[in-house]
Amino acid sequence: MGEQVLSLLTGTFSGMGGYVDRDKIIFSRRINGLTQESLLFIHRRDTVAKQDIEYPYSLLYLKAKLEDYGRSKTMTDQKSKAELLEMRRALYANFDALIAGLSEQQLQMPGVSGDWSVKDHIAHLTFWERLNLLEMLKSIDQGTNWIDSGLESTEEVRDKTNQQIYLQNKDRSLAEVLSEFQVTHQQVIEYLEKLGEEELKTPYKWLEGYTIITWLSEPNGHYQEHEQFIRDWLTKQSNTKK
């Protein structure tokens, strides 16, 4: 948790009168003979003493404060519904353009990452898009709380789930996998178009205080990750031919 909080602090505390000294992170420090929570020292300017003072903060406390700070900004610093739709359509179009340039043989050839083919990556993306994003949008539309499946509660659980997704989809036809992929895209866009701006900008407890727009606007998302797997593999294929 320390590194996650630290990355947030670096950009946040500069606007709150202080800065983070990365060399003074202390975990489970013993103070007065007692083991305290992991601590992070924040340097803040003392205007009376005219010098920087070190203040020890509990990482748990800081994490909670930063979440509150982030939520307070969600209504003002996030994209509009129109911008989100444009961004999501561009994301899908970019991935579609990548796989459109591949032959059926290339799409089904194992080895992109381990035994996975491009088709397996597509099936993987579809599964998680339907389970998470699409179900979240449906829940908002129906006025209910989205319930986490627990299929990625830990890294070990997520790895097992991903293996099951691979085994369940590896023998499906390419046409079927591509069709479900496109249908899922269309359904997501339809829900985003249907939901109002306020619904998309509302922080949801089941999304850890994020709004849908903020959550979908984070860089280096799932699609980009798998697109990179495919591009790296294509580069290796090209270099092998040379």
Side-chain angles (χ1 to χ4, degrees), residues 189-200:
I189 294 299
E190 287 173 357
Y191 269 105
L192 290 176
E193 289 176 333
K194 181 180 181 181
L195 293 171
E197 190 105 13
E198 184 177 350
E199 292 171 306
L200 295 172

Side-chain angles (χ1 to χ4, degrees), residues 54-55 91 99 165 170 182 188 194 198 221 228 241:
E54 286 185 346
Y55 293 90
L91 177 74
I99 62 176
I165 296 168
K170 69 184 184 68
Q182 296 301 331
V188 168
K194 181 180 181 181
E198 184 177 350
Q228 194 59 53
K241 290 179 181 178

Side-chain angles (χ1 to χ4, degrees), residues 78-141:
Q78 54 188 327
K79 293 178 171 62
S80 67
K81 173 181 173 178
E83 289 173 322
L84 174 65
L85 278 164
E86 181 181 1
M87 182 178 68
R88 203 68 193 174
R89 288 191 179 105
L91 177 74
Y92 293 155
N94 189 57
F95 197 91
D96 287 344
L98 172 63
I99 62 176
L102 304 179
S103 66
E104 289 192 7
Q105 181 183 7
Q106 285 177 303
L107 289 168
Q108 299 177 88
M109 187 183 300
V112 175
S113 51
D115 294 331
W116 288 26
S117 64
V118 174
K119 186 193 80 171
D120 296 319
H121 280 271
I122 294 170
H124 169 93
L125 286 168
T126 303
F127 176 88
W128 288 113
E129 186 97 334
R130 297 186 72 83
L131 183 71
N132 290 332
L133 177 56
L134 193 54
E135 288 303 315
M136 286 179 187
L137 297 177
K138 287 179 180 179
S139 294
I140 295 172
D141 183 51

Side-chain angles (χ1 to χ4, degrees), residues 35-183:
T35 300
Q36 304 293 314
E37 292 178 14
S38 298
L39 297 176
L40 184 69
F41 279 81
I42 305 299
H43 290 241
R44 303 194 72 165
R45 189 71 177 176
D46 188 314
T47 56
V48 176
K50 295 184 179 180
Q51 62 181 356
D52 289 340
I53 306 295
E54 286 185 346
Y55 293 90
Y57 287 88
S58 156
L59 284 178
L60 292 174
Y61 170 81
L62 288 172
K63 183 175 184 290
K65 284 296 182 185
L66 285 171
E67 287 173 349
D68 289 341
Y69 179 71
R71 281 192 285 272
S72 71
K73 295 165 66 67
T74 55
M75 293 300 290
T76 57
D77 289 1
Q78 54 188 327
K79 293 178 171 62
S80 67
K81 173 181 173 178
E83 289 173 322
L84 174 65
L85 278 164
E86 181 181 1
M87 182 178 68
R88 203 68 193 174
R89 288 191 179 105
L91 177 74
Y92 293 155
N94 189 57
F95 197 91
D96 287 344
L98 172 63
I99 62 176
L102 304 179
S103 66
E104 289 192 7
Q105 181 183 7
Q106 285 177 303
L107 289 168
Q108 299 177 88
M109 187 183 300
V112 175
S113 51
D115 294 331
W116 288 26
S117 64
V118 174
K119 186 193 80 171
D120 296 319
H121 280 271
I122 294 170
H124 169 93
L125 286 168
T126 303
F127 176 88
W128 288 113
E129 186 97 334
R130 297 186 72 83
L131 183 71
N132 290 332
L133 177 56
L134 193 54
E135 288 303 315
M136 286 179 187
L137 297 177
K138 287 179 180 179
S139 294
I140 295 172
D141 183 51
Q142 296 166 5
T144 59
N145 289 328
W146 173 75
I147 299 175
D148 191 337
S149 65
L151 293 178
E152 48 183 340
S153 55
T154 66
E155 187 173 349
E156 182 181 0
V157 170
R158 185 172 62 248
D159 288 345
K160 287 181 178 179
T161 301
N162 286 335
Q163 180 64 11
Q164 289 173 351
I165 296 168
Y166 164 71
L167 293 174
Q168 290 168 2
N169 288 279
K170 69 184 184 68
D171 295 326
R172 293 174 66 197
S173 70
L174 176 62
E176 186 180 4
V177 169
L178 290 175
S179 175
E180 186 179 36
F181 188 58
Q182 296 301 331
V183 167

Side-chain angles (χ1 to χ4, degrees), residues 5-14 18-25 40-44 62:
V5 174
L6 185 60
S7 64
L8 288 168
L9 284 169
T10 301
T12 302
F13 266 89
S14 60
Y19 66 91
V20 178
D21 187 343
R22 280 181 172 264
D23 295 327
K24 292 198 174 181
I25 306 168
L40 184 69
F41 279 81
I42 305 299
H43 290 241
R44 303 194 72 165
L62 288 172

